[in-house]
Amino acid sequence: MNRRMPRPRELAPLVRFERPFPGRTRTLARAQTIWDLRELARKRTPRVAFDYTDGAADAEISLARARRAFEEIEFRPSILRDVSETDTGTTVLGRRVELPFGIAPTGFTRMMQAEGEIAGARAAERAGIPFTLSTMGTTAIEELAAATGSGARNWFQLYMWKDRDRSMALVERAVRAGFDTLVVTVDVPVAGARLRDARNGMTLPPSITLGGALDALRKPQWWWNFLTTEPLAFASLDRWSGTVAELLDAMFDPTVGFEDLVWVRDQWPGRVLVKGVQTVEDAIRLAGLGMDGIVLSNHGGRQLDRAPVPLHLLPAVRTAVGDELEIHLDTGIMHGADIVAALALGARFTLIGRAYLYGLMAGGEAGVDRAIGILRTQLTRTMKLLGVASIEELEPAHVCLLDRR
């Protein structure tokens, strides 16, 4: 083998100098997965806020199982199909969405990052997907509506409180603000045992402990944003001081029954989703009550540990209720392929919670855009590799749930 010294002009194309301190846009662009955004979020967010987002109940088994269920999917691709063009849009509750996922309701969102729910809602509007504002949100119903345009599709998530009049006052405000879907969450008769929060001494509003002060030295941008923007408060509640578990136990009504859902549905002029369904029997009953849809969800693993895995439950629910109501699904989604698997097994739509919040914590509104973009790219690529050109072409034959024994 003959050797020679390279000429300078041959080296030039191989050498690429980057700025030593890249800006936020460049950093976000380097994130190729939701897990990458999670790592950025962990570095930029105080532990108390990051753990509230990242954690689940007790030993966090429900969350781990939900994520493992997606990992154990085996796809069955079709070959030699024309996938030069793909349509990722579909119809959800009577209206078109551009992607088959929306943003789930999350509480205390401005604690994760100062831009909060408005960042998520604006990113969702640009992407042509719904954004769900939580009862426990830190942005008022009217403020969120004013911050988004006429093309936004805003949903409102309702917890039934012991004070029913106050609950329904929120519903009336959401109607006046133009929210088109009510998402009634039914899996919180009491708060789950969120041990990370207990160990971190998390309170609302956040208090600065000695450990928190030391952590703040490593996360100065978060604290600067926190201290120089409007004080963190619940937009729909009176001022509260205490732990999350104490708040949930004090406010939420453990007596809520199916008849209450019917009553709520009769007060709402739009579509109604029931979130937190975890058995086939309850899905059948809700279909019989005329609900528009259900969300198979174990609350992101944040309530009952060892709860049913929504993806495992999905095929049986689909068989049981058919087209009587729409089936949506959340918990554990971290990749566009997870969304494809859920759609193939019978879900009409999916919701992302942590995946969106990791983006928010990593880079505010731009970070949410990046999270949606990552999932869109993964979703489109997975569809093409499966030989599928539209959401409607996905079917159970494209997916195999591996033996879990």
Side-chain angles (χ1 to χ4, degrees):
M1 181 173 59
N2 295 323
R3 295 184 182 276
R4 65 180 180 83
M5 292 300 293
R7 298 181 178 89
R9 66 173 179 272
E10 294 172 336
L11 291 174
L14 305 177
V15 179
R16 202 173 44 165
F17 293 101
E18 295 183 327
R19 289 176 295 175
F21 301 103
R24 175 183 292 184
T25 301
R26 182 186 293 268
T27 303
L28 289 173
R30 286 177 173 170
Q32 297 301 302
T33 68
I34 299 299
W35 292 106
D36 291 343
L37 290 176
R38 177 187 179 276
E39 181 60 17
L40 281 174
R42 186 187 64 79
K43 292 176 179 178
R44 293 178 173 179
T45 311
R47 183 175 64 191
V48 64
F50 179 81
D51 276 357
Y52 175 78
T53 302
D54 195 59
D58 284 299
E60 305 189 357
I61 294 169
S62 289
L63 177 58
R65 286 178 176 173
R67 286 178 172 164
R68 189 164 62 247
F70 286 113
E71 292 170 357
E72 292 174 347
I73 282 289
E74 182 177 279
F75 285 118
R76 302 292 172 82
S78 302
I79 61 172
L80 301 178
R81 305 294 198 274
D82 182 359
V83 290
S84 56
E85 300 291 336
T86 54
D87 182 6
T88 60
T90 187
T91 300
V92 173
L93 297 174
R95 290 177 56 183
R96 179 176 169 85
V97 295
E98 297 306 317
L99 294 163
F101 63 90
I103 293 181
T106 60
F108 328 131
T109 309
R110 287 187 57 240
M111 179 180 70
M112 290 69 153
Q113 205 271 354
E115 296 175 48
E117 290 91 354
I118 287 178
R122 287 174 171 166
E125 181 181 9
R126 280 191 294 274
I129 62 176
F131 176 87
T132 314
L133 178 65
S134 171
T135 293
M136 313 301 290
T138 46
T139 301
I141 293 168
E142 296 80 6
E143 185 182 355
L144 189 90
T148 52
S150 59
R153 188 166 185 191
N154 294 325
W155 296 358
F156 183 69
Q157 178 268 335
L158 176 70
Y159 286 118
M160 286 301 292
W161 299 344
K162 294 172 183 176
D163 186 339
R164 300 295 176 86
D165 289 340
R166 292 186 66 193
S167 294
M168 297 318 294
L170 292 178
V171 170
E172 292 169 5
R173 286 170 58 189
V175 171
R176 291 196 298 270
F179 287 57
D180 67 80
T181 297
L182 185 68
V183 182
V184 186
T185 299
V186 294
D187 57 359
V188 189
V190 295
R194 301 175 190 177
L195 301 186
R196 291 203 214 182
D197 297 344
R199 290 167 181 148
N200 288 334
M202 178 180 168
T203 61
L204 296 168
S207 55
I208 303 179
T209 62
L210 176 60
L214 294 174
D215 192 32
L217 296 176
R218 298 189 294 271
K219 313 288 176 20
Q221 185 177 22
W222 186 94
W223 282 107
W224 174 253
N225 289 335
F226 177 74
L227 295 172
T228 58
T229 54
E230 287 297 316
L232 179 66
F234 295 114
S236 302
L237 314 178
D238 295 332
R239 185 169 295 276
W240 170 266
S241 180
T243 69
V244 176
E246 289 168 346
L247 172 64
L248 300 185
D249 289 344
M251 296 199 63
F252 295 169
D253 188 352
T255 71
V256 173
F258 284 91
E259 65 280 1
D260 296 298
L261 283 178
V262 175
W263 179 74
V264 170
R265 182 201 61 195
D266 291 343
Q267 314 303 309
W268 180 261
R271 303 298 182 97
V272 175
L273 281 173
V274 181
K275 184 176 183 290
V277 178
Q278 298 175 68
T279 68
V280 174
E281 293 75 19
D282 283 343
I284 292 171
R285 187 166 183 182
L286 290 167
L289 292 176
M291 299 297 160
D292 297 296
I294 57 174
V295 184
L296 300 182
S297 169
N298 62 31
H299 213 102
R302 299 166 70 81
Q303 285 297 104
L304 175 66
D305 210 9
R306 300 176 179 84
V309 174
L311 188 71
H312 292 164
L313 184 63
L314 175 58
V317 170
R318 178 64 179 174
T319 298
V321 303
D323 296 324
E324 292 183 67
L325 44 64
E326 285 191 9
I327 303 171
H328 300 191
L329 182 143
D330 75 10
T331 303
I333 293 172
M334 292 288 285
H335 195 284
D338 301 341
I339 297 168
V340 171
L343 300 175
L345 289 172
R348 164 60 62 175
F349 198 58
T350 60
L351 294 170
I352 57 167
R354 287 182 181 88
Y356 137 68
L357 292 176
Y358 293 144
L360 179 68
M361 291 187 289
E365 189 170 329
V368 182
D369 284 334
R370 184 62 184 147
I372 293 172
I374 287 170
L375 292 173
R376 180 195 292 113
T377 298
Q378 294 169 339
L379 169 79
T380 304
R381 181 184 298 114
T382 303
M383 288 174 59
K384 289 188 175 187
L385 291 173
L386 280 175
V388 170
S390 69
I391 298 298
E392 283 66 30
E393 292 178 26
L394 287 167
E395 56 186 26
H398 286 115
V399 173
C400 176
L401 282 169
L402 299 183
D403 192 340
R404 304 191 302 274
R405 290 175 296 179

